[in-house]
Amino acid sequence: MHDITQATAAPIRPEKLVVTRRMTAGLGGGVALEAYDWNIYGVMAAFLSPHFFPSGDPITSLLAALAVFGAGFLARPLGAALLGPVADRISHKRVMMISVTAMALSSLLISILPTYNDIGVTAAVALLLIRIIQGLSLGAESGVANAIAIELAPPGKEGRYLGLIGGTFIQLGAIGASMVAFLVSASVAPEVMREWAWRIPIAFGGVLGLFIIYLRRAMPETLVNRAMHRQDELSRIHETTSGIWKTLWSVRLSLLAVVLVIGSVQIANYAWIAGLPNMANTVFKENSTWVFGILTLMGLTWMVTAPYVGAFADKVRPSRAFTLLRLLLIPCFFLTLVYSEKGISTFFIVMVFGGAIVGFNMGLYNFIATTLMPRAVRTTGVALGYALGVSLFGGTSPYLMVWLQREHMTWIFPVYGSLIALLSVVVYRIAKKRGRVYIGN
């Protein structure tokens, strides 16, 4: 078992590089779409909340909408546990097709869903169920995409390639969410935006999904099989699902490290892309067009810098790059305390300058998580660790931030985020010392 878990990714031969570019389009396009469909709910939460969770207090309505946002995350570990072994044992492409199709159809359903005024509390229940379906479908996506990407990456450039797939394309989807929201908000009157135009950005993700489904259908399954299902000693571990879980248990320290590496940065990620913007729109009543514009600018910096952050990790060693950038995240959390009252210029400073540090970490975390898992269980391990980290820490981040602001206890949030970030570094270093880093060690 020890020999199996110590295996690393085999390099892809040069003749595969032309096909790899097609794989990049399918992988990255699907990742971007799912990031868009997942995040557009968070971006639009301040606008859809009165329609599904009406209340005399807009903050109470927002908290209910953010609770549904968080509930979707709770389904992700289950999706990872169910679909991860299917990908590792049978077909990565099949799991990716299920995931992207479910996300696109779910967004279309949300965009036409009747509101509380139409069907009462059934509207809120339906919204919750759709978000749970999205959580289930997204549960295995990160593990599948990252596991394939690390195999397709040119030797010595794994960080750069993972920065592209797990950084740039994710941010392309996130930017798309804020940019479409910005364009719609700038094109209609504020009352129209709050009444019905919030549906347009959500519907856009569903329609775009039809094109991404076509891209993924064109991905060559044979290449995926050659990369992930090699006929060597590793293939025996794929014979049964129980074998996958036994191997995963043997590297449980790595799994814990993946949970913390992902969870700590997701606290910051969802604070910056959902918590702060919704607080600006609902609590401080900022101009929503400016809020979405600033959010888009921040996302652009994340998208552009991700491959360079990965290349930096390739150059100086992944462990060093991760430790440096994750420790820089600690003072970044305390920057959230600066935005304590209405002021679009203050919001800009926190989002752009604090967001830059968050973005550097976002460009690296998928690579670091993938290095912590052996190939035999890489999809299941990364998917499960990702789902647990995001659901336990990321999904609750916007709700926690807004709730603490209402209760006048905003100082708790940066302390909490900093402690988890520090813990992620400690556990990662222990895992590395015990030989549980399989790529770039």
Side-chain angles (χ1 to χ4, degrees), residues 80-99:
L82 292 174
L83 296 177
V86 173
D88 275 325
R89 293 183 57 234
I90 302 173
S91 171
H92 285 73
K93 180 179 177 180
R94 189 175 302 172
V95 171
M96 287 192 292
M97 290 300 300
I98 292 172
S99 178

Side-chain angles (χ1 to χ4, degrees), residues 126-146:
L127 183 63
L128 174 62
L129 291 176
I130 293 173
R131 286 297 291 180
I132 289 175
I133 291 173
Q134 287 187 317
L136 288 170
S137 65
L138 195 56
E141 170 68 19
S142 59
V144 172
N146 290 329

Side-chain angles (χ1 to χ4, degrees), residues 42-329:
V43 173
M44 290 289 104
F47 295 92
L48 64 83
S49 59
H51 296 282
F52 292 91
F53 310 99
S55 171
D57 179 13
I59 297 179
T60 300
S61 295
L62 175 60
L63 285 173
L66 292 178
V68 171
F69 185 65
F73 286 91
L74 297 179
R76 290 176 70 161
L78 180 58
L82 292 174
L83 296 177
V86 173
D88 275 325
R89 293 183 57 234
I90 302 173
S91 171
H92 285 73
K93 180 179 177 180
R94 189 175 302 172
V95 171
M96 287 192 292
M97 290 300 300
I98 292 172
S99 178
V100 73
T101 302
M103 288 295 290
L105 293 179
S106 295
S107 287
L108 287 175
L109 284 175
I110 293 176
S111 70
I112 62 173
L113 194 64
T115 66
Y116 182 91
N117 288 338
D118 299 317
I119 57 175
V121 71
T122 304
V125 174
L127 183 63
L128 174 62
L129 291 176
I130 293 173
R131 286 297 291 180
I132 289 175
I133 291 173
Q134 287 187 317
L136 288 170
S137 65
L138 195 56
E141 170 68 19
S142 59
V144 172
N146 290 329
I148 294 177
I150 204 70
E151 297 286 347
L152 298 176
K157 296 183 179 180
E158 292 88 354
R160 186 180 183 88
Y161 194 75
L162 263 293
L164 177 66
I165 297 296
T168 296
F169 277 105
I170 284 181
Q171 296 314 318
L172 180 61
I175 288 170
S178 58
M179 184 174 292
V180 173
F182 167 76
L183 292 174
V184 174
S185 179
S187 302
V188 302
E191 59 272 17
V192 175
M193 184 69 181
R194 296 186 180 278
E195 182 62 28
W196 63 268
W198 56 268
R199 295 180 182 270
I200 297 176
I202 299 175
F204 179 79
V207 174
L208 184 63
L210 301 178
F211 174 68
I212 302 301
I213 290 171
Y214 166 77
L215 281 180
R216 284 206 164 173
R217 283 180 60 86
M219 290 171 59
E221 178 77 87
T222 54
L223 177 57
V224 180
N225 284 336
R226 287 199 296 271
M228 300 305 303
H229 304 151
R230 304 178 194 280
Q231 297 302 312
D232 55 19
E233 65 172 315
L234 286 175
S235 65
R236 291 197 299 271
I237 200 65
H238 297 289
E239 292 178 0
T240 64
T241 299
S242 63
I244 291 177
W245 291 112
K246 287 178 181 178
T247 302
L248 194 59
W249 175 252
S250 73
V251 294
R252 54 191 177 276
L253 177 61
S254 292
L255 181 60
L256 176 61
V258 171
V259 172
L260 292 171
V261 164
I262 290 173
S264 57
V265 74
Q266 292 298 341
I267 295 174
N269 175 39
Y270 284 101
W272 260 260
I273 69 172
L276 287 167
N278 278 297
M279 197 160 64
N281 282 325
T282 300
V283 179
F284 298 131
K285 308 293 184 182
E286 304 281 10
N287 183 298
S288 63
T289 302
W290 279 103
V291 170
F292 292 139
I294 293 169
L295 184 60
T296 301
L297 177 63
M298 181 191 75
L300 283 171
T301 64
W302 291 15
M303 184 180 75
V304 171
T305 58
Y308 296 100
V309 172
F312 171 70
D314 289 330
K315 183 176 181 180
V316 304
R317 191 173 293 177
S319 59
R320 293 175 181 173
F322 167 73
T323 301
L324 171 64
L325 293 177
R326 190 52 53 93
L327 292 178
L328 285 176
L329 195 60

Side-chain angles (χ1 to χ4, degrees), residues 346-358:
T346 305
F347 178 76
F348 173 85
I349 291 172
V350 173
M351 291 293 288
V352 174
F353 292 98
I357 302 299
V358 180

